[in-house]
């Protein structure tokens, strides 16, 4: 996480494409948070923020199913927006939040065979959107920062 003045913070987590024999995996996560109590509405010991995030994951592998070479692909994209409120303590910062989260996933099989009893297609996709509730805390010790978060 990188923070700049005016309450802006940026997050990035990238796992570049990893090849492991007959499989590949990649993951990218990005986030931006604006703590508006740092920028325009200073409140003592209170942090209010809005955060947006995006995560994209892809996993694919090759295998032989009933003597047929088959490529199996999974991809998922998760996006969300959250409103966060927390205590602005110097070392330990607990927080709660509410937001909306959307996931768009796809499972695809390329080959002349089927698995998992798909009856009419070898591709399945699903998109869901829901309300998200979360609680977490950050611990800051000089140059070390750790966080823990639970979300439902």
């Amino acid at each position: 996480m990188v923070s700049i003045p005016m309450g802006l913070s940026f997050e990035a987590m990238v796992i570049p494409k990893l090849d492991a024999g007959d499989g590949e995996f990649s993951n990218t996560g990005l986030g931006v948070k604006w703590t508006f109590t740092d920028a325009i509405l200073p409140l003592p010991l209170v942090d209010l923020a809005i955060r947006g995030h995006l995560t994209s994951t892809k996993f694919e592998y090759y295998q032989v199913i009933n003597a047929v070479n088959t490529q199996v692909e999974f991809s998922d994209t998760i996006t969300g927006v959250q409103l966060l409120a927390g205590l602005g303590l110097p070392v330990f910062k607990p927080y709660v939040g509410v937001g909306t989260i959307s996931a768009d996933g796809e499972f695809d099989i390329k080959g002349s065979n089927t698995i998992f009893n798909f009856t009419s297609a070898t591709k399945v996709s699903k998109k869901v959107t829901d309300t998200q509730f979360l609680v977490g805390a950050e611990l800051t010790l000089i140059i070390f920062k750790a966080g823990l978060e639970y979300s439902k």
Side-chain angles (χ1 to χ4, degrees):
M1 177 188 299
V2 175
S3 296
I4 61 173
M6 299 301 292
L8 286 173
S9 298
F10 301 94
E11 305 171 27
M13 188 274 306
V14 176
I15 299 174
K17 187 185 289 185
L18 300 173
D19 290 322
D22 290 337
E24 296 178 354
F25 174 81
S26 64
N27 185 289
T28 302
L30 303 171
V32 62
K33 180 172 79 170
W34 181 45
T35 306
F36 47 89
T37 49
D38 288 350
I40 61 172
L41 182 65
L43 296 172
L45 298 177
V46 176
D47 287 334
L48 299 175
I50 188 164
R51 179 177 181 262
H53 62 89
L54 166 90
T55 303
S56 179
T57 303
K58 186 170 184 180
F59 175 64
E60 63 182 59
Y61 64 94
Y62 301 88
Q63 73 179 46
V64 176
I65 301 173
N66 295 331
V68 175
N69 288 329
T70 306
Q71 178 183 3
V72 180
E73 292 182 357
F74 168 78
S75 62
D76 187 46
T77 301
I78 299 172
T79 58
V81 176
Q82 305 160 337
L83 183 60
L84 306 168
L87 294 177
L89 303 174
V91 176
F92 181 71
K93 296 182 179 187
Y95 62 90
V96 295
V98 64
T100 182
I101 190 165
S102 296
D104 188 3
E106 186 174 279
F107 187 80
D108 190 10
I109 301 165
K110 296 177 180 173
S112 59
N113 206 348
T114 61
I115 61 174
F116 300 125
N117 296 324
F118 290 167
T119 55
S120 62
T122 59
K123 185 177 195 176
V124 174
S125 61
K126 179 77 174 181
K127 182 170 183 164
V128 294
T129 300
D130 205 351
T131 302
Q132 178 185 29
F133 299 98
L134 55 118
V135 61
E138 291 180 356
L139 178 66
T140 304
L141 301 171
I142 304 174
I143 61 170
F144 176 76
K145 188 177 206 178
L148 181 64
E149 183 176 284
Y150 174 77
S151 175
K152 182 165 173 96

